[in-house]
Amino acid sequence: DVNRADAVYEVASQFLLKLRGHVVRGSGNDSVGAASAFVDVLDEMHRALNTATSMVKEVSTPSTVNTSVLGHIVHLVAETINFQDGRLVQDRDGNRSEGEASRIANSLQVLLKSDVYSNAGKDLQHQILQYLCSAWRANPSHPAFVLRLGKFFPSVVSPVTVDKDSRTYDLEPALNLAQHLLPYLPKN
């Protein structure tokens, strides 16, 4: 079942890669046309993200398949945000879309809450952090990110005990954010 989820992810990833390229080539230098042509795809991706997140939250111990599917969807959304520095999530003036930035911040808020993030395995946590970094890099000064997502940093970066006997801690989330997010934040 996880293999099927992986196969579907690979096909969806390749399809979206081709579609993003096609949409951008078809709109030429017009970022507005590219973003507006892709809005239905973004809507579907967010619906899938919400559905997969709900499936993971509804059960006390999420299955490997559910977390794998959620991780794949999170990764697809992050790929789309990263595509040409967020070109497909811009408004008609070439700025970051206010509505899309808020929608992304909302989905990240749900993913970073303790009932999802703390219960997620290491792989899913890593994918959520990559999504956070991609989204924040595309919207470095957007107030929704600072005000609504900044409050999750203490719980995300706090060291997690890996081995109680040897007092070994996992600092990977903090290092991940330091490497993939901090260099892109505004200096002021």
Side-chain angles (χ1 to χ4, degrees), residues 89-127:
V89 291
Q90 295 177 345
D91 66 15
R92 61 180 154 276
D93 298 324
N95 299 316
R96 303 292 176 217
S97 171
E98 193 70 28
E100 188 60 29
S102 290
R103 186 161 63 167
I104 290 168
N106 287 343
S107 68
L108 279 163
Q109 238 179 325
V110 171
L111 290 169
L112 291 169
K113 285 185 180 170
S114 64
D115 58 340
V116 176
Y117 185 81
S118 63
N119 293 325
K122 196 172 186 121
D123 290 341
L124 180 54
Q125 285 180 345
H126 180 75
Q127 289 166 318

Side-chain angles (χ1 to χ4, degrees), residues 55 67-68 99 112 122 157 164:
M55 287 172 37
T67 57
S68 176
L112 291 169
K122 196 172 186 121
V157 300
K164 293 178 186 175

Side-chain angles (χ1 to χ4, degrees), residues 60-177:
S60 59
T61 308
S63 73
T64 306
V65 174
N66 286 351
T67 57
S68 176
V69 168
L70 178 58
H72 290 325
I73 295 169
V74 165
H75 196 259
L76 290 172
V77 174
E79 282 179 1
T80 300
I81 292 169
N82 288 333
F83 183 76
Q84 293 188 352
D85 296 323
R87 182 175 183 182
L88 296 175
V89 291
Q90 295 177 345
D91 66 15
R92 61 180 154 276
D93 298 324
N95 299 316
R96 303 292 176 217
S97 171
E98 193 70 28
E100 188 60 29
S102 290
R103 186 161 63 167
I104 290 168
N106 287 343
S107 68
L108 279 163
Q109 238 179 325
V110 171
L111 290 169
L112 291 169
K113 285 185 180 170
S114 64
D115 58 340
V116 176
Y117 185 81
S118 63
N119 293 325
K122 196 172 186 121
D123 290 341
L124 180 54
Q125 285 180 345
H126 180 75
Q127 289 166 318
I128 291 169
L129 291 181
Q130 290 305 107
Y131 175 34
L132 172 67
C133 292
S134 297
W136 208 317
R137 276 194 317 256
N139 302 281
S141 56
H142 194 283
F145 288 89
V146 176
L147 298 173
R148 295 189 344 218
L149 299 177
K151 67 182 177 185
F152 293 104
F153 276 48
S155 62
V156 168
V157 300
S158 63
V160 177
T161 306
V162 176
D163 183 2
K164 293 178 186 175
D165 296 331
S166 67
R167 297 181 189 217
T168 305
Y169 299 100
D170 182 10
L171 296 174
E172 188 175 329
L175 296 172
N176 188 331
L177 291 175

